[in-house]
Amino acid sequence: MIRLRGVSLTYPNGTRALDDVDLEIEKGSFVFLVGHSGTGKSSLLKLLYREELPSHGEVYVDNIRVDTLRRGRVPKLRRNIGVVFQDFKLLSHKTVWENVAFALQVTGTRTKDVMRMVPRALDLVGLSHKSRMFPSELSGGEQQRTAIARALVGNPKILLCDEPTGNLDPSNTTEIMELLQRINLKGTTVVVATHNQAVVDRMRRRVVRLEHGRILHDDERGYYFRGLGATAVLPR
Amino acid sequence: MDLGRLRFFLGEVLANFTRNAGMQFTAIGTVAVTIVLLGAFLYARETVQTFGTGVLSQIEIAVYLKDGVDDTKAKDLGAKLAMDPRVASASYVPKKEGLKRMKATLGPDFDTSLLTSNPLPNTYKVRAKDPDSVPNVAAWIAKDPRVAKTDYAADTVQKLLKTAGVLGRIGIALILLLSISAAIVISNTIRLTVFARRREIAIMQLVGATNMYIRMPFIAEGMLAGVLGAGVAIGVLALAEHQVVPKLAATLAFVTFRVNELTLCLELLAVGAAVGLIASWISVGRHLRA
């Protein structure tokens, strides 16, 4: 589903975000990208939805080579990828319903289909009863669930989450992670970049750890720190 | 057409448009000023042109015949003139007839009792088919041995038209400059709207909206500003025509103020829309590429 081959990314200011990264993510899997801030987690996600282009290497998403994709083809690629951010990126003057519908409307979906798909997405994230509220009237967790509904409403094959729980308290964090797990169970490939150790250690999913733009380790059913359970005393 | 989609689109355009109301007013005002000038210019040009060609088509070449040329010889000349393809008509005015006409024109103050003989020559009044050929035709006729002299009033008219032409070019340059400034104001307005909506644009790009789709509301907005500006201008022009033209017509009785108003209005609206379209296309395009 996702494949990176010898990918490096150097920003114009000389910062090396990724350094010769090889990574393969199977269809339907759930993967944590972990590491400190500035180790290239966000950059890696950005390569997948072609917000950034690699300086070297090849990027494949759903068998499409992304790094050489023509500009005109990018919208089609992005309709296959849902993206969720730490700061939700909701439109404050639109209601929950309108925020979710927006993703369909601006991609030219027929109204009939919008009316059918939006309730389904809101139902999935459990916000059907708040569809007429504005983001400012919602809790952080609810705002993030709105953002997830927006990311998923077009039925993408992949969901990318960049620090989805970074702005949330522990109970909302749990709620969001359970939601992501449910989404994954329905067959969507989910990639979560996070530095929330508790979340990673509790879920016991595949963990890819980045450090200084390189993959430090890659474990099935891994921990945030290799070989250390959640109970261990951590050097910080 | 999907009505829901149309409503969503129009809603987005309207939301855009009202967000920067102040800037929009400036843009509309600039377009309006430009188009008022453009309209007035086009109006004046059409009037001068109608007037000029009207006058030119009425220009007569007066062909004065030599003294010894009698009526029979004059008729020969008339036949020669009538055969020339450039000549529309050639009418003979014998000297008696010429004097009669002069009396009729000048009225009772013109005293002929002192004249011992008729001082006027036999004359042909010649009209050319094409006003532009008047000088050539006159020169050609003057070469005939029976002709003493040819005369026509075209010099004045041609000077008038030449002046009108120069003024026209200056006017076009001025309007071009004004259009550019109107386009810059619209483009800045659109850039402000783009900036105000950068979050929306970012999300649209993220969820896979095409650049064309993202661009459309801004283009529509720019065109709306252009068309509204043109509308205001047309209102101002209509008012001006209503107020000013009757007074002008009273003073300049020989000028006809007949302009095809509907065509002019449509032209002005089209210009407004085009200025808005080009300006917004450029400013949004710049943002999307960045």
Side-chain angles (χ1 to χ4, degrees):
Chain A
M1 182 54 78
I2 294 171
R3 196 160 87 237
L4 275 66
R5 266 207 194 144
V7 169
S8 299
L9 173 60
T10 309
Y11 286 110
N13 65 10
T15 312
R16 184 138 231 196
L18 293 171
D19 188 5
D20 196 24
V21 170
D22 289 294
L23 180 66
E24 204 147 329
I25 294 174
E26 299 296 318
K27 188 173 182 205
S29 55
F30 191 115
V31 180
F32 281 115
L33 285 178
V34 304
H36 301 299
S37 306
T39 50
K41 304 186 299 281
S42 297
S43 300
L44 199 155
L45 294 183
K46 282 179 183 166
L47 289 175
L48 301 180
Y49 60 94
R50 206 183 178 278
E51 182 70 25
E52 294 288 349
L53 287 171
S55 321
H56 294 286
E58 298 165 14
V59 179
Y60 296 88
V61 173
D62 198 17
N63 287 322
I64 296 166
R65 181 149 175 202
V66 174
D67 54 302
T68 55
L69 198 63
R70 286 217 325 272
R71 184 188 284 274
R73 299 281 174 108
V74 173
K76 215 180 155 207
L77 166 81
R78 291 190 179 165
R79 288 173 201 189
N80 243 329
I81 303 175
V83 192
V84 174
F85 299 93
Q86 178 171 3
D87 61 354
F88 320 136
K89 295 200 192 299
L90 297 175
L91 298 172
S92 55
H93 61 279
K94 289 188 189 290
T95 63
V96 168
W97 170 285
E98 287 166 343
N99 266 289
V100 175
F102 189 72
L104 294 175
Q105 284 162 329
V106 300
T107 49
T109 313
R110 286 183 309 174
T111 311
K112 201 176 74 186
D113 296 329
V114 175
M115 303 306 278
R116 186 172 51 78
M117 291 160 88
V118 174
R120 219 176 45 193
L122 288 176
D123 186 47
L124 175 70
V125 301
L127 277 180
S128 301
H129 59 296
K130 299 205 165 170
S131 68
R132 301 174 81 162
M133 291 195 173
F134 288 92
S136 55
E137 300 168 309
L138 302 176
S139 74
E142 288 166 337
Q143 289 188 46
Q144 191 59 293
R145 281 193 276 157
T146 308
I148 292 172
R150 182 181 64 195
L152 287 175
V153 69
N155 295 320
K157 294 180 182 161
I158 301 171
L159 181 65
L160 306 178
C161 308
D162 194 352
E163 301 285 0
T165 57
N167 279 354
L168 303 179
D169 61 30
S171 79
N172 273 319
T173 297
T174 309
E175 199 177 70
I176 292 296
M177 293 318 296
E178 280 168 2
L179 173 59
L180 292 180
Q181 216 159 358
R182 273 211 309 283
I183 290 161
N184 176 240
L185 282 175
K186 291 181 171 229
T188 311
T189 308
V190 178
V191 182
V192 181
T194 183
H195 53 227
N196 189 324
Q197 187 199 349
V199 163
V200 175
D201 289 347
R202 192 169 344 117
M203 302 255 303
R204 302 297 315 276
R205 295 297 196 119
R206 181 176 169 193
V207 177
V208 176
R209 183 173 177 83
L210 286 170
E211 189 121 6
H212 301 305
R214 288 172 163 272
I215 292 181
L216 196 66
H217 60 73
D218 182 349
D219 298 327
E220 288 301 323
R221 300 186 57 76
Y223 291 106
Y224 192 91
F225 291 99
R226 186 174 232 172
L228 293 175
T231 51
V233 181
L234 300 170
R236 255 276 166 183
Chain B
M1 184 64 200
D2 184 335
L3 270 181
R5 254 151 90 182
L6 187 67
R7 213 171 56 196
F8 175 74
F9 177 74
L10 292 179
E12 294 291 298
V13 173
L14 200 70
N16 263 6
F17 199 75
T18 45
R19 188 170 310 206
N20 279 312
M23 254 328 257
Q24 293 294 2
F25 275 120
T26 319
I28 292 170
T30 320
V31 175
V33 170
T34 310
I35 289 185
V36 163
L37 288 172
L38 175 67
F41 167 73
L42 289 178
Y43 193 96
R45 197 178 66 172
E46 198 168 327
T47 308
V48 169
Q49 255 170 7
T50 319
F51 172 65
T53 41
V55 171
L56 268 184
S57 67
Q58 282 167 27
I59 284 182
E60 278 181 341
I61 305 170
V63 180
Y64 304 115
L65 304 185
K66 283 183 182 155
D67 243 358
V69 180
D70 59 20
D71 284 3
T72 338
K73 282 181 186 165
K75 288 271 154 58
D76 289 347
L77 177 64
K80 178 189 163 192
L81 291 180
M83 267 166 55
D84 193 274
R86 291 168 297 180
V87 174
S89 70
S91 62
Y92 184 49
V93 185
K95 48 170 74 179
K96 273 188 202 161
E97 176 71 19
L99 195 63
K100 232 192 269 172
R101 282 193 198 172
M102 196 178 250
K103 276 184 192 165
T105 326
L106 297 177
D109 293 344
F110 182 58
D111 185 5
T112 52
S113 60
L114 290 172
L115 289 175
T116 51
S117 67
N118 184 344
L120 295 175
N122 290 326
T123 309
Y124 265 103
K125 299 279 187 199
V126 176
R127 277 193 189 171
K129 279 182 185 148
D130 175 8
D132 290 339
S133 69
V134 165
N136 287 333
V137 173
W140 171 71
I141 296 173
K143 278 189 218 142
D144 191 282
R146 288 158 289 194
V147 173
K149 193 183 168 210
T150 57
D151 198 6
Y152 58 94
D155 268 9
T156 335
V157 176
Q158 250 151 9
K159 263 183 207 151
L160 173 77
L161 283 184
K162 213 181 232 169
T163 318
V166 171
L167 286 179
R169 275 197 286 278
I170 294 173
I172 287 172
L174 194 74
I175 280 157
L176 225 87
L177 280 175
L178 279 166
S179 303
I180 291 171
S181 60
I184 290 172
V185 174
I186 291 188
S187 137
N188 275 332
T189 312
I190 300 293
R191 211 177 300 168
L192 275 187
T193 337
V194 169
F195 185 74
R197 297 204 10 150
R198 62 196 182 284
R199 285 177 63 90
E200 264 118 316
I201 294 177
I203 291 168
M204 286 194 226
Q205 288 182 317
L206 186 69
V207 300
T210 58
N211 275 354
M212 186 48 97
Y213 186 92
I214 297 172
R215 205 176 239 157
M216 287 291 266
F218 296 102
I219 306 290
E221 183 192 345
M223 282 178 71
L224 187 61
V227 168
L228 284 179
V232 171
I234 287 169
V236 171
L237 285 171
L239 196 72
E241 194 194 16
H242 185 73
Q243 295 289 319
V244 177
V245 167
K247 284 175 198 157
L248 273 181
T251 331
L252 307 168
F254 51 89
V255 180
T256 39
F257 288 93
R258 293 294 300 273
V259 167
N260 191 335
E261 279 145 4
L262 184 66
T263 317
L264 188 61
C265 285
L266 290 179
E267 277 170 8
L268 295 180
L269 284 175
V271 169
V275 168
L277 183 132
I278 294 166
S280 47
W281 189 280
I282 292 171
S283 61
V284 185
R286 209 180 283 159
H287 178 86
L288 290 182
R289 241 172 283 123

